[in-house]
Amino acid sequence: MHDLTIDLDDEPGALAAMGEALGAAGVSVEGGGMFVVGGRAVAHFLFHDGEAASAALRAAGLRVTACREVLARRLDQDLPGQLGAITRALADAGVNIEVLYSDHDHRLILIVDDPHAGAAATVAWDR
């Protein structure tokens, strides 16, 4: 699984253009989100095939600024404190979380500065 960072204009239709480009290319979105920061829309979306998604978006004139592998972890939703526990495990391992969101399969998606250390620190949630 790959997370794409997509730089969008902060205007009506920008996200629609992204979704249409992906749909036309037959690429499904598996999770993600978009936020406006400092007058720019920064999107992070999850794909099975990051290269295909990148190619479709770039062909439509959209700016893909990164394509990175993710850690996909499953929290025990019935147990309060799971977010604190997994993020504490990462912090104690010296791993910085750069992006965090959920996918369509109820998994926590993490983009971290040290994927190998992050994977080791969160092995208890690798289900």
Side-chain angles (χ1 to χ4, degrees):
M1 300 285 270
H2 293 91
D3 172 84
L4 297 188
T5 306
I6 307 147
D7 185 28
L8 298 169
D9 294 325
D10 180 18
E11 63 186 29
L15 191 57
M18 184 197 89
E20 291 164 349
L22 293 166
V27 177
S28 291
V29 174
E30 302 300 324
M34 186 205 70
F35 307 90
V36 174
V37 179
R40 296 296 301 164
V42 178
H44 282 271
F45 284 97
L46 184 66
F47 302 94
H48 282 290
D49 187 342
E51 290 303 317
S54 291
L57 295 171
R58 288 186 171 121
L62 297 168
R63 294 174 300 275
V64 176
T65 60
C67 178
R68 301 191 308 180
E69 290 189 28
V70 304
L71 292 176
R73 299 296 188 245
R74 192 166 305 278
L75 303 181
D76 183 350
Q77 298 297 322
D78 293 329
L79 183 62
Q82 287 288 286
L83 181 62
I86 194 169
T87 55
R88 173 55 56 202
L90 288 163
D92 289 349
V95 177
N96 190 44
I97 301 166
E98 297 176 2
V99 180
L100 179 150
Y101 57 86
S102 295
D103 73 356
H104 297 161
D105 193 29
H106 308 289
R107 292 175 297 184
L108 187 67
I109 303 301
L110 298 149
I111 295 95
V112 298
D113 65 346
D114 185 341
H116 296 293
T122 60
V123 72
W125 293 272
D126 187 13
R127 308 177 218 164

